[in-house]
């Protein structure tokens, strides 16, 4: 039987790349959108569709060209939406409308865990709440994945936090709930394979909880080298320079959100990645050196 076709939007990003990998491993024929990097996707075994997901006509063409009956929707607040809530809502809505025009059988939207619980200053999460509401009313067959903080933030050179040998840094040193973008993809595969069970439902993607010291211990265990930990910047500077993210962290730190627990996610993805697992899976520092030598 031919593999079922899935189209992943924003396939070259931190989420998209690993979602494509997990879906391909689960046996789907994976198509991914990119504006400029088809070769990157090809090397990963993903069929590239050159497409700007912010343009309705590109989305229509991507769905027609791929023949995908399943669609994984990622919206990009910081880049594509230019940090504008209304623009991210418009971009997400356009993807839902394109899915309807193409008779997509199952759409998964990547939102954020407890999106409705963040305070009014947490701008970058507001569009997710609105898009979840619109999706529920859309008539589409949908599911929603709601991830917490990505482990990938621990190696994010484009946001001034490259992972370096011997040190792990983040914007909070408090206990926080994490997940890997790979597990977002593994969960998506399960949801796409079981539409009757998952249609109209959401799932929090949470696989581990710990503070920065525990993250350093995890990297130490995996690398076999001493690892120190440090805040990427003092909290007063986080408040001053990254006020939006600062307020997201207040929900994590002060309110101990999100409410979901790793044990619940493990009932769906039993081997969801812990911090140690993620360092092994990621297996590279920002300079390309492996964490675990072969
Ligand atoms: N970081 C976290 O802990 C966390 C947790 C939960 C949810 N999230 C959510 O994750 C999402 C970000 O995903 P990500 O980390 O995968 O993003 P990313 O790595 O920045 O990737 C963004 C993607 O968008 C495309 N893109 C960028 N600028 C664009 C533009 N101007 N026009 C059209 N396409 C553009 C890029 O594709 P091409 O350049 O190849 O076209 C790229 O694949 C956000 O919505 C955020 O709210 C993040």
């Amino acid at each position: 039987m031919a593999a079922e076709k899935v189209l992943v939007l924003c396939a070259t990003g931190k989420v998209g790349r690993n979602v494509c990998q997990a879906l391909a491993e689960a046996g789907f024929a994976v198509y991914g959108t990119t504006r400029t990097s088809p070769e990157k996707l090809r090397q990963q075994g993903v069929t590239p569709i050159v497409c700007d997901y912010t343009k309705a006509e590109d989305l229509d063409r991507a769905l027609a060209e791929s023949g995908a009956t399943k669609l994984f929707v990622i919206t990009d607040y910081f880049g594509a939406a230019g940090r504008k809530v209304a623009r991210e809502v418009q971009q997400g809505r356009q993807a839902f409308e394109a899915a309807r025009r193409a008779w997509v059988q199952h759409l998964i939207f990547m939102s954020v865990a407890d999106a409705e619980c963040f305070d009014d200053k947490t701008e970058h999460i507001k569009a997710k709440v609105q898009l979840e509401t619109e999706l529920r009313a859309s008539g589409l067959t949908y599911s929603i994945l709601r991830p917490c903080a990505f482990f990938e933030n621990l190696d994010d050179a484009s946001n001034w936090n490259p992972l370096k040998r011997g040190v792990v840094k983040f914007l909070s040193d408090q206990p926080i709930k994490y997940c890997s973008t790979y597990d977002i993809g593994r969960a998506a595969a399960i949801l796409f394979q079981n539409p009757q069970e998952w249609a109209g439902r959401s799932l929090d993607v949470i696989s581990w909880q710990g503070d920065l010291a525990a993250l350093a211990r995890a990297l130490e265990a995996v690398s076999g080298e001493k690892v120190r930990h440090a805040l990427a910047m003092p909290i007063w500077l986080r408040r001053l320079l990254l006020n939006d993210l600062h307020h997201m962290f207040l929900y994590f730190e002060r309110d101990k959100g999100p409410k979901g627990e790793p044990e619940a996610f493990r009932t769906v993805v039993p081997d969801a990645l812990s911090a140690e697992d993620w360092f092994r899976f990621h297996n590279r520092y920002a300079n390309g050196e492996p964490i675990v030598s072969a």
Side-chain angles (χ1 to χ4, degrees):
M1 207 171 72
E4 285 194 279
K5 294 177 176 181
V6 183
L7 177 67
V8 177
L9 304 188
C10 296
T12 56
K14 285 185 289 295
V15 181
R17 189 182 54 232
N18 285 329
V19 165
C20 286
Q21 179 179 333
L23 289 171
E25 286 170 3
F28 290 97
V30 183
Y31 294 74
T33 68
T34 176
R35 290 164 305 163
T36 53
S37 311
E39 202 42 47
K40 231 192 218 172
L41 294 178
R42 231 173 254 124
Q43 282 164 9
Q44 243 199 305
V46 173
T47 306
I49 307 272
V50 174
C51 156
D52 181 337
Y53 91 97
T54 68
K55 295 186 176 146
E57 63 277 19
D58 276 26
L59 286 172
D60 287 341
R61 183 177 44 75
L63 282 161
E65 249 177 52
S66 63
T69 53
K70 298 177 188 296
L71 178 65
F72 190 94
V73 175
I74 299 165
T75 51
D76 175 24
Y77 171 82
F78 291 99
R83 297 173 185 252
K84 296 275 188 294
V85 176
R87 203 177 292 164
E88 187 184 0
V89 169
Q90 172 58 20
Q91 291 169 354
R93 185 182 294 147
Q94 239 170 219
F96 302 161
E97 285 166 359
R100 200 179 12 243
R101 284 192 293 275
W103 297 96
V104 162
Q105 290 166 11
H106 192 177
L107 179 152
I108 296 180
F109 172 55
M110 191 193 74
S111 180
V112 169
D114 287 18
E116 64 287 354
C117 298
F118 292 83
D119 72 19
D120 201 47
K121 293 193 171 132
T122 315
E123 289 291 324
H124 72 286
I125 293 177
K126 288 181 178 171
K128 306 294 196 284
V129 182
Q130 167 89 18
L131 285 168
E132 285 194 10
T133 305
E134 294 193 14
L135 186 54
R136 288 196 176 93
S138 69
L140 287 162
T141 298
Y142 72 90
S143 308
I144 299 172
L145 286 172
R146 306 185 99 201
C148 54
F150 299 161
F151 284 126
E152 281 72 12
N153 296 318
L154 304 173
D155 182 21
D156 191 359
S158 57
N159 287 308
W160 305 283
N161 194 27
L163 184 64
K164 294 183 180 164
R165 220 177 177 123
V167 58
V168 63
K169 292 187 181 181
F170 196 35
L171 289 166
S172 172
D173 58 5
Q174 299 299 300
I176 282 183
K177 288 170 177 163
Y178 291 88
C179 70
S180 65
T181 58
Y182 178 58
D183 280 339
I184 297 173
R186 291 204 291 175
I190 291 166
L191 272 47
F192 277 142
Q193 284 160 346
N194 299 283
Q196 289 86 354
E197 186 182 345
W198 286 100
R201 291 177 61 197
S202 65
L203 174 68
D204 288 344
V205 183
I206 298 172
S207 63
W208 185 82
Q209 179 171 20
D211 61 12
L212 205 46
L215 284 166
R217 285 196 297 279
L219 179 55
E220 209 163 274
V222 173
S223 66
E225 294 172 1
K226 190 91 199 121
V227 176
R228 67 184 178 83
H229 58 90
L231 278 172
M233 65 175 65
I235 301 298
W236 65 266
L237 201 58
R238 183 184 85 181
R239 182 169 52 235
L240 193 70
L241 298 181
L242 306 170
N243 198 254
D244 178 343
L245 289 173
H246 173 70
H247 279 266
M248 176 188 74
F249 280 109
L250 291 184
Y251 180 63
F252 294 162
E253 295 166 346
R254 197 180 50 194
D255 304 324
K256 309 296 173 210
K259 295 187 269 295
E261 296 294 343
E263 293 69 32
F265 183 62
R266 286 222 163 75
T267 64
V268 182
V269 180
D271 56 346
L273 304 190
S274 67
E276 279 191 32
D277 296 333
W278 181 78
F279 283 120
R280 259 184 226 104
F281 168 82
H282 187 65
N283 198 23
R284 61 175 182 273
Y285 296 107
N287 66 4
E289 279 177 35
I291 295 175
V292 188
S293 315

